[in-house]
Amino acid sequence: MTLDRRIWQGRTDPEDGELGQRFHQKVKSAEDAKTPGVMLMGFACDEGVACNKGRVGAYGAPVEIRKMLANLPWHHGSLALYDNGDIHCDDHDLARAQTLLANQIAEALKYKQFPLVLGGGHEVAWGSFQGLANYVAQKSPGITPKIGIINFDAHFDLRTPSGASRAGSSGTPFSQIAEHCQKRNWPFHYACLGVSRASNTEALFNKAESLGVLVVEDTDFSAANFTAIEDQISTFLAQMDAIYLTIDMDVFPATTAPGVSAPAAHGVDYSLIEQLIRTITDAKDSDGNRKLKLADIAELNPRYDIDNHTSRLAARLVWTITRSLSTPEEPQGVTQ
């Protein structure tokens, strides 16, 4: 796709040379992806939110995140940044859109691109996981993968798909992933951080317990408890071969992130999550390879945002993740 310069635009400071550049000056079209880097992918979809009886509007999130990201300063060294455009769910066929996303993610991973997906409702997670799972299965056939999911979210999103078609929604992706793993005799490793007891039924807490989910509630997510939480996450990371990071914008307080489908009355402070993102991106395997293979941002709803507060926060998350990825890894062989 051709890069949309109507979105990717911002201030220029030519007098500062390379050190004065911003994201809009660094991003390239996916067609020009000749070296490993970060591949942005948009998932313009709120079909799952509608099915989950939520406030629709997340469809417009990928464009708004790019707009807020475009003018942020570049502190990312030689990291390559590409934009693969958006997958649009315009025909109510959520499963098809998720499959398209999964295929794009698997393809990006094959060519050593880091997929960073801009949602979209949290139904994006089912597409994201399928992409990573397909890639891992093709790369190492016959080996049981240890894929860890870290979800910053006020909700478990472990609802059971209903109806004859068992079509999913924004509330079902991790239940779908658990079922996918069970069918393949894969372990299900899921950490849900910032979950609100006031936003999830007792049945969902019981289901999380039965599935062995690592849970940190929003009321326990504080600076005083940060070291203990970081230790839990570090232990979780150490047990995994690959990590999928997903961030639902409703994990933040409504005062910080008003533009979401389901605003959080309590929420988690951004600075704590930012520190944990660095912990997650720093995790390496014995060969020095970064364990984090995929990330996405979900549930930004520009329709309910106030002065772009939530869009700017989502862009800052992308900035933080890509900044962390700009730190060079140890030398490694390239395997497809």
Side-chain angles (χ1 to χ4, degrees), residues 297-312:
I297 310 291
E299 298 285 349
L300 165 63
N301 189 330
R303 189 175 298 179
Y304 296 96
D305 209 359
I306 300 172
D307 195 26
N308 296 316
H309 287 341
T310 319
S311 298
R312 293 181 192 278

Side-chain angles (χ1 to χ4, degrees), residues 20-70:
Q21 295 208 317
R22 299 171 187 270
F23 265 70
H24 71 91
Q25 294 169 288
K26 288 293 188 177
V27 67
K28 298 179 181 179
S29 168
E31 297 173 347
D32 300 322
K34 297 181 174 60
T35 59
V38 172
M39 182 67 72
L40 298 177
M41 303 176 183
F43 188 69
C45 177
D46 51 20
E47 184 69 21
V49 175
C51 292
N52 199 34
K53 303 179 178 64
R55 303 193 301 181
V56 297
Y59 182 99
V63 168
E64 294 305 314
I65 296 174
R66 288 186 181 94
K67 286 180 178 178
M68 296 301 107
L69 186 63

Side-chain angles (χ1 to χ4, degrees), residues 21-145:
Q21 295 208 317
R22 299 171 187 270
F23 265 70
H24 71 91
Q25 294 169 288
K26 288 293 188 177
V27 67
K28 298 179 181 179
S29 168
E31 297 173 347
D32 300 322
K34 297 181 174 60
T35 59
V38 172
M39 182 67 72
L40 298 177
M41 303 176 183
F43 188 69
C45 177
D46 51 20
E47 184 69 21
V49 175
C51 292
N52 199 34
K53 303 179 178 64
R55 303 193 301 181
V56 297
Y59 182 99
V63 168
E64 294 305 314
I65 296 174
R66 288 186 181 94
K67 286 180 178 178
M68 296 301 107
L69 186 63
N71 206 41
L72 294 184
W74 186 262
H75 290 270
H76 298 53
S78 60
L79 180 72
L81 179 69
Y82 307 105
D83 186 356
N84 201 36
D86 292 344
I87 291 169
H88 296 89
C89 185
D90 295 326
D91 56 3
H92 303 293
D93 192 344
L94 176 56
R96 176 179 176 275
Q98 289 167 324
T99 298
L100 289 173
L101 177 63
N103 292 342
Q104 284 193 6
I105 287 171
E107 185 73 4
L109 288 167
K110 178 181 177 181
Y111 290 101
K112 302 302 173 186
Q113 307 296 339
F114 180 90
L116 207 170
V117 186
L118 312 177
H122 218 162
E123 62 267 28
V124 67
W126 176 222
S128 290
F129 181 85
Q130 287 183 86
L132 177 57
N134 292 345
Y135 167 75
V136 169
Q138 292 169 6
K139 182 182 177 184
S140 304
I143 296 177
T144 301

Side-chain angles (χ1 to χ4, degrees), residues 178-233:
E179 185 175 334
H180 177 91
C181 291
Q182 183 181 34
K183 287 179 178 178
R184 286 157 181 76
N185 292 317
W186 291 1
F188 176 61
H189 299 292
Y190 178 33
C192 191
L193 312 178
V195 69
S196 170
R197 192 166 287 270
S199 300
N200 295 265
T201 64
E202 189 173 354
L204 288 170
F205 269 89
N206 289 343
K207 184 171 184 178
E209 183 177 6
S210 70
L211 289 170
V213 179
L214 171 60
V215 178
V216 178
E217 293 188 41
D218 55 358
T219 51
D220 297 324
F221 217 125
S222 64
N225 294 334
F226 183 79
T227 299
I229 294 170
E230 188 174 36
D231 287 345
Q232 285 181 288
I233 298 305

